[in-house]
Amino acid sequence: MVKIYSISVVLAPPSESCTVLATASDLSQYSFYQKGSVAEFMSFFSRTVVDRTPQGQRQSVQENNYTAHAYNRGGAEQLAAVIITDKDYPVRPAFSLLTKVLDEFIAKIPQSSFLNPSSISFPEIQIYVSKYQDPAQADTIMRVQQELDETKIVLHKTIESVLERGEKLENLVDRSNALSAQSKMFYKTAKKQNDCCVVM
Amino acid sequence: MPVQDRTNEFMACVDSIISRSSIPSRRDAKQKLLQNGKSTTKSEFSRMASGIGKDISSTNIKLGKLSQLAKRKTLFDDRPVEISELTFIIKQDLASLNKQIATLQAYVKQKKANGSKLEDGKQIDEHNKNVVTLLQSKLADTSVAFQEVLEVRTQNMKESKDRTEQFMYTTSSAASQPPSSSVLFNPRGDPMGDGSPSRYDSKRHKNGDMLALNLEAAEEGSGSQNGGAFMQMQMIEQQDSYIQSRSTAIESIESTIAELGQIFMQLANMVAEQGETVQRIDADSHDIAANVSGAQRELLKYYASISSNRWLMLKIFGVLIVCFLVFILVS
């Protein structure tokens, strides 16, 4: 069962420690009392992984049931994004999701407010968490692949029905052949009747 | 062809020629000259150069072994541990050779800067530079061969992976192919042998552990230039990176689309064939209609003739009855 637990955007200057700029999580499966500690674990995990990821690199770290995929983009803004999922989440859409989140973040939030994390409001990150719970639908490439597979199945069914149609048509051909022969005999007999028995 | 060590044969030839030649006295003089002529610094240079040459030849031998191992195409008898060990060793050798050549070149430059004797000095400098260039070019050849071997290895690994997939292919795996292709996270010895001529720090930042393969031709610096071609090589081994997995996913989409195209063509073919069958049915039914209508015409004629004949028949019967009556009346 693929699941996203949290997504975070982190400011990661290369030499100093990193600060979390925006984060969103889906901890609905934990009980109320566990949520606090799980959230802390998530943020600690994210920060640690980002600290250890050099600039411009992607990395995946697994810890018990949780896998963190981190992408340290570096660049002028020195941003990095982390996504924490379970083991089954496919890797490639995770990284493309991170790239998307970072691009949107950079487009929306000016660099000046990086120093003031509490002033940053980035609600789209929560939308991403909920939308990408099912990567097969949300990720473009996977969705295209899925639709193509469905189309292929439909086409297979179509070909089967066309084969059946072919069989039925063969049947029809044979029957119409037989009927044509019989009607010919009918015609000849009728004609013979006229020629042979001319009565007066 | 792997490098062969034929020093012993050479020494045997030299000995035989010396024993055959008739100038023993000259030999002593030559030996004395050899001992006095070379200064310590010069012999230092030749020592370093010969050391480097020996290392290069041993690396070439190892590379030959690695290429033999990499060429094997068996599915099951693959020995990845050996191959990766050998690759690592060769990598280290190449790096150390690089450093040695660098120090040798620095040594040559320093010697030149320290001032040299006029006529001999220039020739000695030329000779040193040429030797350095020769060593650099030999190292370049070795690294190119190494890169090719790694490429061959990648190819074979890919082929063997395809073949194992063929043997273990099921429909369920086909349906789940797209997601599983991106979860292929096996660290493979995939070299990124692109040999791009870029500087030392052009690592491709894709995933955790990757080293860059850089190849700067020593042939650029034609030996007479100063810092000319400083050859550096770092081999890349890379895990399945994000971009590679993307490209595989897109390739699978492309192949799916091609399959769909095939299916559509088959569909069109089948429908065309069936169209012919439909035409036959159509012709047959036309014939049937014609036959049946003709038969109906005949029957109508018959019926008409029968019904019209009745009048005639009545008349014939009437005539017969009249004859009958005539016969009875007569008799």
Side-chain angles (χ1 to χ4, degrees), chain A residues 55-60 87-97 99 140-142 144-146 148-149 151-152 155-156 158-160 162-170 172-173 175-181 183-188 190-195 197-200, chain B residues 174-175 178-179 181-183 185 204-210 242-243 245-247 249-250 252-254 256-257 259-260 263-264 266-267 270-271 274-275 277-278 280-282 284-285 287-303 305-306 309 312-313 316:
Chain A
Q55 290 221 347
Q57 288 220 7
R58 298 175 169 86
Q59 218 179 40
S60 300
K87 279 183 298 197
D88 298 325
Y89 202 83
V91 176
R92 190 196 44 78
F95 283 120
S96 65
L97 167 61
T99 321
T140 326
I141 294 184
M142 290 184 79
V144 166
Q145 184 71 35
Q146 211 182 26
L148 282 177
D149 288 335
T151 311
K152 209 158 72 155
L155 276 179
H156 277 304
T158 311
I159 288 211
E160 279 181 26
V162 168
L163 276 172
E164 277 182 35
R165 175 179 182 256
E167 270 180 62
K168 290 187 185 155
L169 281 176
E170 288 281 316
L172 270 182
V173 161
R175 286 209 197 160
S176 66
N177 254 338
L179 196 55
S180 160
S183 71
K184 211 167 186 182
M185 287 310 300
F186 179 35
Y187 179 54
K188 281 197 185 134
K191 205 162 181 190
K192 215 163 49 164
Q193 280 246 326
N194 258 351
D195 293 335
C197 319
V198 173
V199 183
M200 250 76 67
Chain B
S181 70
S182 56
V183 184
F185 219 42
R204 293 262 180 84
H205 301 300
K206 283 184 197 151
N207 228 354
D209 36 358
M210 282 200 325
Y242 168 63
I243 296 188
S245 61
R246 254 174 102 93
S247 78
I250 293 186
S252 71
I253 287 186
E254 184 189 337
T256 316
I257 293 183
E259 277 178 35
L260 282 181
I263 294 181
F264 271 115
Q266 278 183 2
L267 196 60
M270 286 165 70
V271 172
Q274 289 175 358
T277 315
V278 167
R280 265 196 289 161
I281 295 178
D282 194 33
D284 269 343
S285 50
D287 289 342
I288 291 173
N291 282 341
V292 167
S293 64
Q296 197 207 14
R297 236 182 325 135
E298 303 291 323
L299 285 179
L300 274 178
K301 266 196 281 185
Y302 187 61
Y303 176 65
S305 67
I306 291 285
N309 253 355
L312 287 175
M313 277 232 281
I316 293 169

Side-chain angles (χ1 to χ4, degrees), chain B residues 225-245:
Chain B
Q225 309 271 334
N226 212 352
F230 202 79
M231 191 155 65
Q232 292 206 5
M233 278 173 315
Q234 301 153 306
M235 300 303 299
I236 294 188
E237 276 188 6
Q238 103 187 43
Q239 295 179 344
D240 270 7
S241 72
Y242 168 63
I243 296 188
Q244 255 202 353
S245 61

Side-chain angles (χ1 to χ4, degrees), chain A residues 8-22 45-57 70-82 102 105-106 111 114-115 117 120:
Chain A
S8 320
V9 178
V10 178
L11 174 68
S15 45
E16 308 144 16
S17 67
C18 45
T19 45
V20 176
L21 294 182
F45 195 20
S46 317
R47 280 210 312 273
T48 320
V49 172
V50 166
D51 271 334
R52 309 261 168 94
T53 309
Q55 290 221 347
Q57 288 220 7
Y71 172 40
N72 187 341
R73 191 173 133 155
E77 305 87 359
Q78 296 179 334
L79 286 178
V82 187
L102 275 177
F105 189 80
I106 286 178
Q111 196 166 355
F114 283 3
L115 302 168
I120 294 179

Side-chain angles (χ1 to χ4, degrees), chain B residues 5-255:
Chain B
D5 194 11
R6 298 173 82 168
T7 319
N8 297 334
E9 295 180 29
F10 177 66
M11 294 309 290
C13 288
V14 164
D15 286 335
S16 64
I17 289 178
I18 286 179
S19 61
R20 261 193 267 142
S21 74
S22 53
I23 36 171
S25 59
R26 273 272 211 103
R27 197 179 52 171
D28 293 331
K30 238 197 236 173
Q31 274 185 346
K32 274 199 212 141
L33 189 63
L34 278 172
Q35 278 165 5
N36 291 338
K38 302 266 191 301
S39 58
T40 51
T41 51
K42 186 97 188 286
S43 65
E44 161 113 9
F45 174 80
S46 57
R47 254 189 293 135
M48 285 167 68
S50 60
I52 294 181
K54 247 186 284 178
D55 288 337
I56 290 185
S57 56
S58 71
T59 312
N60 274 335
I61 294 177
K62 284 184 217 154
L63 186 64
K65 267 190 246 157
L66 178 67
S67 66
Q68 254 195 342
L69 277 180
K71 274 194 206 135
R72 298 159 59 98
K73 279 189 163 193
T74 62
L75 267 183
F76 302 112
D77 201 8
D78 209 12
R79 286 183 278 186
V81 179
E82 273 188 41
I83 291 184
S84 46
E85 271 182 22
L86 207 48
T87 317
F88 186 63
I89 291 176
I90 292 183
K91 230 190 312 168
Q92 280 185 332
D93 283 341
L94 287 172
S96 73
L97 278 168
N98 220 2
K99 268 189 236 139
Q100 282 176 2
I101 293 187
T103 47
L104 191 63
Q105 203 172 27
Y107 176 75
V108 164
K109 262 186 268 171
Q110 173 216 29
K111 184 143 180 305
K112 187 173 169 208
N114 279 350
S116 43
K117 311 166 218 161
L118 272 177
E119 292 147 6
D120 289 341
K122 270 202 211 133
Q123 287 184 349
I124 291 178
D125 282 334
E126 280 282 331
H127 171 71
N128 292 351
K129 274 185 233 141
N130 289 340
V131 165
V132 168
T133 317
L134 177 68
L135 290 172
Q136 279 175 342
S137 58
K138 278 206 187 135
L139 191 56
D141 292 337
T142 314
S143 51
V144 164
F146 188 33
Q147 173 189 344
E148 280 169 9
V149 163
L150 284 180
E151 279 179 9
V152 165
R153 169 112 182 100
T154 330
Q155 285 273 39
N156 287 348
M157 287 194 73
K158 216 173 192 172
E159 280 171 17
S160 68
K161 185 172 103 51
D162 287 339
R163 264 175 291 165
T164 41
E165 266 187 32
Q166 261 184 355
F167 290 136
M168 301 189 302
Y169 189 81
T170 58
T171 46
S172 63
S173 78
S176 65
Q177 194 65 13
S180 70
S181 70
S182 56
V183 184
L184 266 182
F185 219 42
N186 313 328
R188 292 191 294 175
D190 267 357
M192 193 63 180
D194 44 4
S196 52
S198 42
R199 284 273 160 192
Y200 143 84
D201 52 353
S202 74
K203 285 185 184 180
R204 293 262 180 84
H205 301 300
K206 283 184 197 151
N207 228 354
D209 36 358
M210 282 200 325
L211 317 166
L213 167 66
N214 285 341
L215 190 57
E216 283 202 59
E219 290 82 16
E220 284 173 17
S222 53
S224 55
Q225 309 271 334
N226 212 352
F230 202 79
M231 191 155 65
Q232 292 206 5
M233 278 173 315
Q234 301 153 306
M235 300 303 299
I236 294 188
E237 276 188 6
Q238 103 187 43
Q239 295 179 344
D240 270 7
S241 72
Y242 168 63
I243 296 188
Q244 255 202 353
S245 61
R246 254 174 102 93
S247 78
T248 26
I250 293 186
E251 272 169 24
S252 71
I253 287 186
E254 184 189 337
S255 59

